[in-house]
Amino acid sequence: MNEKDIEYFREVLTNHLEELLNHADNTVSDMTAPKENLPDPTDRASFESGRDFMLLIRDRESRLIKKIKMALDRIEDNTFGVCETCGEDISIARLKARPVTTQCIDCKTREEAIERARGL
Ligand SMILES: [Zn+2]
């Protein structure tokens, strides 16, 4: 991978990280909306399930944030784009589709096949 590709991925990952961090802030302020504004129990229930949903989203987001930070660390270490399983280069096309990936398509496919075989 050349310097230009590295810069491209650094920018994509940094922008995505900022987006997620900004969004996480918004979610927090939404969640602190006082319940007293919802006297109807039905409204309250939908507020509660909405909050569960948001927590689920936030959980997924925080995991993605972690993955993006790890990808940025790999850029700093010059190990970005190298498959952590076989050590081969991950294709640029695959990285563009999923910049946080740590495995080449062969290893990923093999791993998924094994997981499926285990019934996971
Ligand atoms: Zn691999």
Side-chain angles (χ1 to χ4, degrees), residues 55-77:
L55 287 174
L56 196 75
I57 299 278
R58 288 202 67 202
D59 183 54
R60 286 182 56 179
E61 279 178 352
S62 70
R63 264 181 290 173
L64 187 55
I65 287 169
K66 238 175 261 168
K67 281 185 186 173
I68 293 174
K69 283 182 176 168
M70 280 163 65
L72 285 165
D73 282 348
R74 288 197 298 276
I75 287 181
E76 297 308 316
D77 295 349

Side-chain angles (χ1 to χ4, degrees), residues 83-88 90 102-108 110:
C83 174
E84 66 176 8
T85 306
C86 69
E88 295 289 323
I90 303 170
T102 57
Q103 284 180 308
C104 71
I105 192 70
D106 289 347
C107 291
K108 186 70 193 167
R110 205 173 307 137

Side-chain angles (χ1 to χ4, degrees), residues 105-119:
I105 192 70
D106 289 347
C107 291
K108 186 70 193 167
T109 308
R110 205 173 307 137
E111 201 179 86
E112 279 174 358
I114 292 168
E115 282 179 5
R116 259 199 306 279
R118 281 190 191 137

Side-chain angles (χ1 to χ4, degrees), residues 32-56:
T32 53
K35 274 185 221 167
E36 297 85 90
N37 292 344
L38 302 167
D40 187 316
T42 321
D43 286 352
R44 226 171 15 237
S46 68
F47 177 77
E48 290 292 327
S49 60
R51 202 178 56 161
D52 286 351
F53 181 67
M54 267 191 275
L55 287 174
L56 196 75

